[in-house]
């Protein structure tokens, strides 16, 4: 397989960015090559078809792109001294990414059920990582007794709900309330 030229890489990036914006605005089912081409300012859908064989391939690339940037953003803000601090850092980093990349997060949630490529299942890995952190906090006596798997489901549901309603919410207030609600739910 030949390496893609700088022009081809730029065009692919342009298409991915337009796809993210289109999915965030229209939702997955309404997103078409025609809508993406219009948003990207492309003269025809053939320019998209040249780079992506179908909608599924484009969605998979969009999903992987957002996931990589999201995980990098969040992981640089983690590595705190305690599980409680780590949990707070996780929540604050999620809201910070949402604040800076709202379209990405909305598009991500709208396509995650449709994406064929995952890192072993983003929902599963996100859930497993959070449940492990909650178990560590329990083992260290920082959190009360609860089922870490169930609590991870609740925490992620709260986070995802903020993403879905983010356009109409004050994200500073959301961050404060999300951190407070999770702290109260896990406190011993």
């Amino acid at each position: 397989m030949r390496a893609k030229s700088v022009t081809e890489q730029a065009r692919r990036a342009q298409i991915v960015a337009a796809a993210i914006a289109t999915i965030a605005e229209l939702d997955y089912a309404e997103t078409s090559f025609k809508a993406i081409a219009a948003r990207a300012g492309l003269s025809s859908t053939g320019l998209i078809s040249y780079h992506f064989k179908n909608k599924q391939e484009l969605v998979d690339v969009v999903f992987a792109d957002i996931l990589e940037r999201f995980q990098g953003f969040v992981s640089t803000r983690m590595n705190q001294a305690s599980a409680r601090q780590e949990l707070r850092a996780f929540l604050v980093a999620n809201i910070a990414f949402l604040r800076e990349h709202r379209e990405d997060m909305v598009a991500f949630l709208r396509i995650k059920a449709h994406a064929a490529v995952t890192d072993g299942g983003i929902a599963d890995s996100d859930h497993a990582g959070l449940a492990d952190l909650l178990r560590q906090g329990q083992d260290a006596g920082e959190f009360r007794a609860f089922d870490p798997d169930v609590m991870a489901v609740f925490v992620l549901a709260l986070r995802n709900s903020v993403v879905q309603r983010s356009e109409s919410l004050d994200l500073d207030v959301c961050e404060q309330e999300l951190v407070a609600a999770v702290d109260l739910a896990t406190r011993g």
Side-chain angles (χ1 to χ4, degrees), residues 11-153:
R11 178 67 74 197
R12 280 177 66 89
Q14 176 189 15
I15 294 166
V16 167
I20 290 168
T22 305
I23 293 165
E25 180 186 341
L26 301 178
D27 205 355
Y28 173 81
E30 302 300 318
T31 296
S32 64
F33 276 13
K34 182 178 179 180
I36 295 167
R39 181 169 304 264
L42 302 175
S43 59
S44 82
T45 60
L47 292 168
I48 298 173
S49 298
Y50 174 80
H51 294 281
F52 302 96
K53 65 182 174 190
N54 55 35
K55 183 177 176 180
Q56 184 64 57
E57 182 182 9
L58 177 55
V59 165
D60 293 344
V61 169
V62 165
F63 184 84
D65 176 72
I66 297 170
L67 178 60
E68 181 180 343
R69 289 184 291 114
F70 173 75
Q71 288 179 329
F73 185 95
V74 171
S75 68
T76 62
R77 287 152 178 81
M78 303 290 286
N79 218 3
Q80 303 296 314
S82 70
R84 182 165 299 287
Q85 291 170 335
E86 189 85 353
L87 179 57
R88 182 183 192 292
F90 171 78
L91 297 169
V92 169
N94 274 259
I95 299 299
F97 188 84
L98 174 60
R99 190 178 284 115
E100 293 179 29
H101 307 280
R102 182 185 174 282
E103 277 186 342
D104 292 357
M105 288 299 290
V106 171
F108 185 82
L109 285 182
R110 288 182 172 175
I111 65 172
K112 79 177 187 176
H114 305 283
V117 290
T118 64
D119 65 341
I122 180 58
D124 290 341
S125 70
D126 212 15
H127 174 265
L130 184 54
D132 286 345
L133 174 61
L134 294 169
R135 277 186 200 88
Q136 291 168 14
Q138 287 176 322
D139 292 345
E142 296 178 61
F143 300 140
R144 68 176 177 80
F146 53 77
D147 184 312
D149 292 309
V150 171
M151 184 64 72
V153 167

Side-chain angles (χ1 to χ4, degrees), residues 149-171:
D149 292 309
V150 171
M151 184 64 72
V153 167
F154 293 156
V155 171
L156 294 173
L158 287 170
R159 187 244 356 236
N160 292 347
S161 292
V162 169
V163 171
Q164 291 168 342
R165 305 254 347 251
S166 62
E167 192 168 22
S168 62
L169 298 174
D170 179 331
L171 292 181

